[in-house]
Coordinates of all heavy atoms in Angstrom, one line a residue:
Chain A
L172 N 3.4 59.7 -121.1 CA 3.8 58.3 -121.1 C 5.3 58.1 -121.2 O 5.9 57.3 -120.4 CB 3.2 57.6 -122.3 CG 1.7 57.5 -122.4 CD1 1.3 56.8 -123.7 CD2 1.1 56.7 -121.2
I173 N 5.9 58.7 -122.2 CA 7.3 58.6 -122.6 C 7.9 59.9 -122.8 O 7.3 60.8 -123.4 CB 7.4 57.8 -123.9 CG1 6.8 56.4 -123.8 CG2 8.9 57.7 -124.4 CD1 7.6 55.4 -123.1
Y174 N 9.1 60.2 -122.2 CA 9.8 61.4 -122.5 C 11.2 61.1 -123.0 O 11.7 59.9 -122.9 CB 9.9 62.3 -121.2 CG 10.7 61.6 -120.1 CD1 12.0 61.9 -119.9 CD2 10.0 60.8 -119.2 CE1 12.7 61.3 -118.8 CE2 10.7 60.2 -118.1 CZ 12.0 60.5 -117.9 OH 12.7 59.9 -116.9
A175 N 11.8 62.1 -123.7 CA 13.1 61.9 -124.3 C 13.1 60.6 -125.2 O 14.1 59.8 -125.2 CB 14.2 61.8 -123.3
A176 N 12.1 60.4 -125.9 CA 11.9 59.4 -127.0 C 11.7 58.0 -126.4 O 11.0 57.2 -127.0 CB 13.1 59.4 -127.9
S177 N 12.4 57.6 -125.3 CA 12.4 56.3 -124.9 C 12.3 56.1 -123.4 O 12.4 54.9 -122.9 CB 13.6 55.5 -125.4 OG 14.8 56.1 -124.9
S178 N 12.3 57.1 -122.6 CA 12.2 57.0 -121.1 C 10.8 56.9 -120.6 O 10.0 57.8 -121.0 CB 12.9 58.2 -120.5 OG 14.3 58.2 -120.8
L179 N 10.5 55.9 -119.9 CA 9.2 55.6 -119.4 C 8.9 56.5 -118.2 O 9.7 56.5 -117.2 CB 9.1 54.1 -119.0 CG 7.7 53.6 -118.7 CD1 6.8 53.6 -120.0 CD2 7.8 52.2 -118.2
Q180 N 7.8 57.2 -118.2 CA 7.4 58.1 -117.1 C 7.1 57.2 -115.9 O 6.5 56.1 -116.0 CB 6.3 59.0 -117.4 CG 5.6 59.7 -116.3 CD 6.5 60.9 -115.7 OE1 7.7 60.9 -116.0 NE2 5.9 61.7 -114.9
S181 N 7.4 57.6 -114.7 CA 7.1 56.9 -113.5 C 5.6 56.5 -113.4 O 4.8 57.4 -113.6 CB 7.5 57.7 -112.3 OG 7.2 57.0 -111.1
G182 N 5.3 55.3 -113.1 CA 4.0 54.8 -112.9 C 3.3 54.3 -114.2 O 2.2 53.8 -114.2
V183 N 4.0 54.5 -115.3 CA 3.4 54.0 -116.6 C 3.8 52.6 -116.8 O 4.9 52.2 -116.6 CB 3.9 54.9 -117.8 CG1 3.5 54.3 -119.1 CG2 3.5 56.3 -117.6
P184 N 2.8 51.7 -117.2 CA 3.1 50.3 -117.4 C 4.2 50.0 -118.4 O 4.3 50.8 -119.4 CB 1.7 49.8 -117.9 CG 0.7 50.7 -117.4 CD 1.4 52.1 -117.4
S185 N 4.9 49.0 -118.1 CA 6.1 48.7 -119.0 C 5.7 48.1 -120.4 O 6.5 47.9 -121.2 CB 6.9 47.6 -118.3 OG 6.2 46.4 -118.0
R186 N 4.4 47.9 -120.6 CA 4.0 47.5 -122.0 C 4.1 48.7 -123.0 O 4.1 48.4 -124.2 CB 2.5 47.0 -122.0 CG 1.5 47.9 -121.6 CD 0.1 47.3 -121.6 NE -1.0 48.2 -121.2 CZ -1.3 48.4 -119.9 NH1 -0.7 47.7 -119.0 NH2 -2.3 49.2 -119.6
F187 N 4.3 49.9 -122.4 CA 4.5 51.0 -123.3 C 6.0 51.2 -123.5 O 6.8 51.2 -122.5 CB 3.9 52.3 -122.7 CG 2.4 52.4 -122.6 CD1 1.7 51.9 -121.5 CD2 1.7 52.9 -123.7 CE1 0.4 51.9 -121.5 CE2 0.3 52.9 -123.7 CZ -0.4 52.4 -122.5
S188 N 6.4 51.5 -124.7 CA 7.8 51.7 -125.0 C 7.9 52.7 -126.2 O 7.1 52.7 -127.0 CB 8.6 50.5 -125.3 OG 8.1 49.8 -126.4
G189 N 9.0 53.5 -126.2 CA 9.2 54.4 -127.2 C 10.6 54.2 -127.8 O 11.5 53.8 -127.1
S190 N 10.7 54.6 -129.1 CA 12.1 54.5 -129.7 C 12.2 55.5 -130.8 O 11.1 56.1 -131.2 CB 12.3 53.1 -130.3 OG 11.4 52.8 -131.3
G191 N 13.4 55.7 -131.3 CA 13.6 56.6 -132.4 C 14.5 57.8 -132.0 O 14.8 58.0 -130.9
S192 N 15.0 58.4 -133.1 CA 15.8 59.7 -132.9 C 15.9 60.3 -134.3 O 15.6 59.7 -135.3 CB 17.2 59.4 -132.4 OG 17.9 58.6 -133.3
G193 N 16.2 61.6 -134.2 CA 16.2 62.3 -135.5 C 14.9 62.8 -135.9 O 14.3 63.7 -135.3
T194 N 14.3 62.2 -136.9 CA 13.0 62.6 -137.4 C 11.9 61.5 -137.2 O 10.7 61.8 -137.3 CB 13.0 62.9 -138.9 OG1 13.4 61.8 -139.6 CG2 14.0 64.1 -139.1
D195 N 12.2 60.3 -137.0 CA 11.3 59.2 -136.9 C 11.2 58.5 -135.6 O 12.2 58.1 -135.1 CB 11.6 58.2 -138.0 CG 11.4 58.7 -139.4 OD1 10.4 59.5 -139.6 OD2 12.2 58.4 -140.3
F196 N 10.0 58.4 -135.0 CA 9.8 57.9 -133.7 C 8.6 56.9 -133.7 O 7.7 57.1 -134.5 CB 9.5 59.1 -132.7 CG 10.6 60.1 -132.7 CD1 10.7 61.1 -133.6 CD2 11.7 60.0 -131.7 CE1 11.7 62.0 -133.6 CE2 12.7 60.9 -131.7 CZ 12.7 61.9 -132.7
T197 N 8.6 56.0 -132.7 CA 7.5 55.1 -132.6 C 7.1 54.9 -131.1 O 8.0 55.0 -130.2 CB 7.8 53.7 -133.2 OG1 9.0 53.2 -132.5 CG2 8.1 53.8 -134.6
L198 N 5.9 54.7 -130.9 CA 5.4 54.3 -129.6 C 4.8 52.9 -129.8 O 3.9 52.7 -130.7 CB 4.3 55.3 -129.1 CG 3.5 54.9 -127.8 CD1 4.5 55.0 -126.6 CD2 2.3 55.7 -127.6
T199 N 5.2 52.0 -129.0 CA 4.7 50.6 -129.1 C 4.0 50.2 -127.8 O 4.5 50.5 -126.7 CB 5.9 49.6 -129.4 OG1 6.5 50.0 -130.6 CG2 5.4 48.2 -129.4
I200 N 2.9 49.6 -128.0 CA 2.2 49.0 -126.8 C 2.2 47.5 -127.1 O 1.7 47.0 -128.1 CB 0.7 49.5 -126.7 CG1 0.6 51.0 -126.8 CG2 0.1 49.0 -125.4 CD1 -0.8 51.6 -126.9
S201 N 2.9 46.8 -126.2 CA 3.2 45.4 -126.5 C 2.0 44.4 -126.4 O 1.9 43.5 -127.2 CB 4.3 44.9 -125.5 OG 3.8 45.0 -124.1
S202 N 1.1 44.7 -125.5 CA -0.1 43.9 -125.4 C -1.3 44.8 -124.9 O -1.4 45.1 -123.8 CB 0.1 42.8 -124.4 OG -1.1 42.0 -124.3
L203 N -2.1 45.2 -125.9 CA -3.2 46.2 -125.6 C -4.1 45.7 -124.5 O -4.6 44.6 -124.5 CB -4.0 46.4 -126.8 CG -3.5 47.5 -127.8 CD1 -4.4 47.5 -129.0 CD2 -3.5 48.9 -127.1
Q204 N -4.3 46.6 -123.6 CA -5.3 46.4 -122.5 C -6.5 47.3 -122.7 O -6.4 48.3 -123.4 CB -4.7 46.7 -121.1 CG -3.5 45.8 -120.8 CD -3.9 44.3 -120.8 OE1 -4.7 43.9 -120.0 NE2 -3.2 43.6 -121.7
P205 N -7.7 47.0 -122.2 CA -8.9 47.7 -122.4 C -8.7 49.2 -122.1 O -9.2 50.1 -122.8 CB -9.9 47.1 -121.5 CG -9.4 45.7 -121.3 CD -7.9 45.8 -121.3
E206 N -7.9 49.5 -121.1 CA -7.7 50.9 -120.7 C -6.8 51.7 -121.6 O -6.6 52.9 -121.4 CB -7.2 51.0 -119.2 CG -5.9 50.3 -119.0 CD -6.0 48.9 -118.6 OE1 -7.0 48.2 -118.9 OE2 -5.1 48.4 -117.8
D207 N -6.2 51.0 -122.6 CA -5.3 51.7 -123.5 C -5.9 52.4 -124.7 O -5.3 53.1 -125.5 CB -4.2 50.7 -124.0 CG -3.4 50.1 -122.9 OD1 -3.3 50.7 -121.8 OD2 -2.8 49.0 -123.1
F208 N -7.2 52.1 -124.8 CA -7.9 52.7 -126.0 C -8.2 54.2 -125.7 O -8.9 54.5 -124.8 CB -9.2 51.9 -126.3 CG -8.9 50.5 -126.8 CD1 -8.9 49.5 -125.9 CD2 -8.6 50.3 -128.1 CE1 -8.5 48.2 -126.4 CE2 -8.3 49.1 -128.6 CZ -8.3 48.0 -127.7
A209 N -7.5 55.0 -126.5 CA -7.4 56.4 -126.2 C -6.8 57.1 -127.4 O -6.5 56.5 -128.4 CB -6.5 56.7 -125.0
T210 N -6.5 58.4 -127.3 CA -5.8 59.1 -128.3 C -4.4 59.4 -127.8 O -4.2 59.8 -126.7 CB -6.5 60.4 -128.7 OG1 -7.8 60.1 -129.2 CG2 -5.8 61.2 -129.8
Y211 N -3.4 59.2 -128.7 CA -2.0 59.4 -128.4 C -1.4 60.6 -129.2 O -1.7 60.7 -130.4 CB -1.3 58.1 -128.6 CG -1.7 57.0 -127.7 CD1 -2.8 56.2 -128.0 CD2 -1.0 56.8 -126.5 CE1 -3.3 55.2 -127.1 CE2 -1.5 55.8 -125.6 CZ -2.6 55.0 -126.0 OH -3.0 54.0 -125.1
Y212 N -0.7 61.4 -128.5 CA -0.1 62.6 -129.1 C 1.4 62.5 -128.9 O 1.9 62.2 -127.8 CB -0.6 63.9 -128.5 CG -2.0 64.2 -128.7 CD1 -3.0 63.8 -127.8 CD2 -2.4 64.9 -129.9 CE1 -4.4 64.1 -128.1 CE2 -3.7 65.2 -130.2 CZ -4.7 64.8 -129.3 OH -6.0 65.1 -129.5
C213 N 2.2 62.9 -129.9 CA 3.6 63.1 -129.7 C 3.8 64.6 -129.6 O 3.0 65.4 -130.0 CB 4.4 62.5 -130.9 SG 4.1 63.2 -132.5
Q214 N 4.9 65.0 -129.0 CA 5.3 66.5 -128.8 C 6.8 66.6 -128.9 O 7.5 65.9 -128.3 CB 4.7 66.9 -127.4 CG 5.1 68.3 -127.0 CD 6.0 68.4 -125.8 OE1 5.9 67.5 -124.9 NE2 6.9 69.3 -125.7
Q215 N 7.2 67.6 -129.6 CA 8.6 67.9 -129.7 C 9.0 69.0 -128.8 O 8.3 69.9 -128.6 CB 9.1 68.2 -131.1 CG 8.6 69.5 -131.7 CD 9.4 70.7 -131.3 OE1 10.5 70.6 -130.8 NE2 8.7 71.9 -131.4
S216 N 10.2 68.8 -128.2 CA 10.7 69.9 -127.3 C 12.1 70.3 -127.7 O 12.9 70.9 -126.9 CB 10.6 69.5 -125.8 OG 11.3 68.2 -125.6
Y217 N 12.5 69.9 -129.0 CA 13.8 70.3 -129.5 C 13.9 71.9 -129.5 O 14.9 72.5 -129.1 CB 14.0 69.7 -130.9 CG 15.3 70.1 -131.5 CD1 16.5 69.5 -131.2 CD2 15.4 71.1 -132.5 CE1 17.7 69.8 -131.8 CE2 16.6 71.5 -133.1 CZ 17.7 70.8 -132.7 OH 18.9 71.1 -133.3
S218 N 12.8 72.4 -130.0 CA 12.7 73.9 -130.0 C 11.9 74.3 -128.8 O 10.7 74.3 -128.8 CB 12.0 74.4 -131.2 OG 11.7 75.8 -131.1
A219 N 12.6 74.5 -127.7 CA 11.9 74.8 -126.4 C 11.2 76.2 -126.4 O 10.5 76.5 -125.5 CB 12.9 74.8 -125.2
L220 N 11.4 76.9 -127.5 CA 10.7 78.2 -127.6 C 9.4 78.0 -128.4 O 8.7 79.0 -128.5 CB 11.6 79.2 -128.4 CG 13.0 79.5 -127.7 CD1 13.7 80.5 -128.5 CD2 12.8 80.0 -126.3
M221 N 9.2 76.8 -128.9 CA 7.9 76.6 -129.6 C 7.7 75.1 -129.6 O 8.1 74.3 -130.5 CB 8.1 77.1 -131.1 CG 6.9 76.8 -131.9 SD 5.4 77.6 -131.3 CE 4.1 76.8 -132.3
Y222 N 7.0 74.6 -128.6 CA 6.6 73.2 -128.5 C 5.5 73.0 -129.5 O 4.6 73.8 -129.7 CB 6.1 72.9 -127.1 CG 7.0 73.2 -126.0 CD1 6.7 74.2 -125.1 CD2 8.2 72.5 -125.8 CE1 7.5 74.5 -124.0 CE2 9.0 72.8 -124.7 CZ 8.7 73.8 -123.8 OH 9.5 74.1 -122.8
T223 N 5.6 71.8 -130.2 CA 4.5 71.5 -131.1 C 4.1 70.0 -130.9 O 4.9 69.2 -130.6 CB 4.9 71.7 -132.6 OG1 6.2 71.1 -132.8 CG2 4.9 73.1 -133.0
F224 N 2.8 69.8 -131.1 CA 2.2 68.5 -130.9 C 1.8 67.9 -132.3 O 1.5 68.6 -133.2 CB 0.9 68.5 -130.1 CG 1.2 68.9 -128.6 CD1 1.2 70.2 -128.2 CD2 1.3 67.9 -127.6 CE1 1.4 70.6 -126.9 CE2 1.5 68.2 -126.3 CZ 1.5 69.6 -125.9
G225 N 1.8 66.6 -132.4 CA 1.2 65.9 -133.5 C -0.3 66.0 -133.5 O -0.8 66.5 -132.4
Q226 N -0.9 65.6 -134.5 CA -2.4 65.8 -134.6 C -3.1 64.7 -133.9 O -4.3 64.7 -133.7 CB -2.9 65.8 -136.0 CG -3.0 64.5 -136.7 CD -1.7 63.9 -137.2 OE1 -0.6 64.3 -136.8 NE2 -1.8 62.8 -138.0

Side-chain angles (χ1 to χ4, degrees):
Chain A
L172 297 175
I173 301 285
Y174 63 94
S177 60
S178 295
L179 192 67
Q180 171 69 348
S181 176
V183 175
S185 59
R186 62 181 179 273
F187 291 93
S188 63
S190 65
S192 66
T194 61
D195 295 319
F196 303 85
T197 59
L198 172 70
T199 298
I200 310 173
S201 60
S202 179
L203 274 174
Q204 298 302 300
E206 61 267 29
D207 299 337
F208 292 94
T210 300
Y211 293 84
Y212 293 95
C213 62
Q214 174 242 331
Q215 67 81 18
S216 53
Y217 179 81
S218 172
L220 301 182
M221 178 59 194
Y222 305 113
T223 47
F224 293 87
Q226 82 280 14

